[in-house]
Amino acid sequence: MSIGEMLAATVPMARTLNLEFLETTPDKAVVALPDQSDYHNHVGGPHAGAMFTLGESASGAIVLAAFGDQLSRAVPLAVSAEIAYKKLAMGPVTATATLGRPAADVVAELDAGQRPEFPVSIAIRRGDGAVTGEMTVTWTLRPNS
C-alpha cells in the first residue's frame, strides 16, 4: 500500500475531501484537492479549511515517507501549524511539502533519546502555478517508550 493509499484509508478527512496523493517521497510530497463545489467558500474557490487540510495532509505524507522506518519506535505528531493565504485560489489546487531539516538530523536526535521537532514547509498552488497559500507544520517524533 502506498503512503497516499494508507493516508486515504486511515484519515477520514483525506477521503472526505477526495485528496489525490500525486507524489510522495522523503524529499517531496504533492497532494491535490480537486475542484468540488461542496467545499467552496463564499467566492467560489476552495474553502480555507479545505486548503488547510490539503497542506496538513501533504506534510503528513512527507513525514511518513521520510520517517516511516521509525514508526516501530516513535509516533509522528503535528505540534503546530501556521498558514498564510496569499492569493485567491480557484479551481483545483495542489500542495507541495518539503522537510525543513535533514531527516538524518531528526533521526540522530531520536537516537540520542530526544523528542525531535522539525518543520515542514508547504506551498499551495492553483492550476496556473501561482502560490495561493504558504503553510508550515511543525512535527515531532514522540518516542514510544
Side-chain angles (χ1 to χ4, degrees):
M1 182 181 296
S2 72
I3 289 172
E5 291 167 337
M6 183 177 74
L7 284 170
T10 59
V11 180
M13 196 62 175
R15 285 193 312 275
T16 297
L17 291 177
N18 300 306
L19 298 182
E20 300 168 1
F21 293 83
L22 305 178
E23 180 180 344
T24 305
T25 70
D27 298 314
K28 179 169 73 169
V30 181
V31 181
L33 172 66
D35 187 24
Q36 302 164 91
S37 61
D38 285 347
Y39 306 113
H40 280 177
N41 58 21
H42 62 290
V43 294
H47 188 277
M51 288 192 293
F52 182 93
T53 301
L54 170 68
E56 196 275 342
S57 297
S59 76
I62 196 169
V63 167
L64 287 176
F67 302 108
D69 60 343
Q70 304 300 317
L71 295 180
S72 64
R73 65 183 186 139
V75 176
L77 298 169
V79 174
S80 65
E82 184 176 316
I83 191 166
Y85 302 100
K86 300 292 190 178
K87 292 184 179 188
L88 185 61
M90 298 297 282
V93 290
T94 59
T96 302
T98 56
L99 287 179
R101 292 181 55 201
D105 292 354
V106 174
V107 172
E109 286 183 19
L110 189 62
D111 289 343
Q114 299 173 6
R115 182 176 170 167
E117 289 191 3
F118 53 95
V120 175
S121 298
I122 304 103
I124 300 171
R125 291 182 173 83
R126 60 186 183 209
D128 66 1
V131 174
T132 63
E134 294 174 337
M135 186 172 180
T136 301
V137 180
T138 300
W139 285 82
T140 188
L141 295 180
R142 185 191 74 198
N144 291 336
S145 53

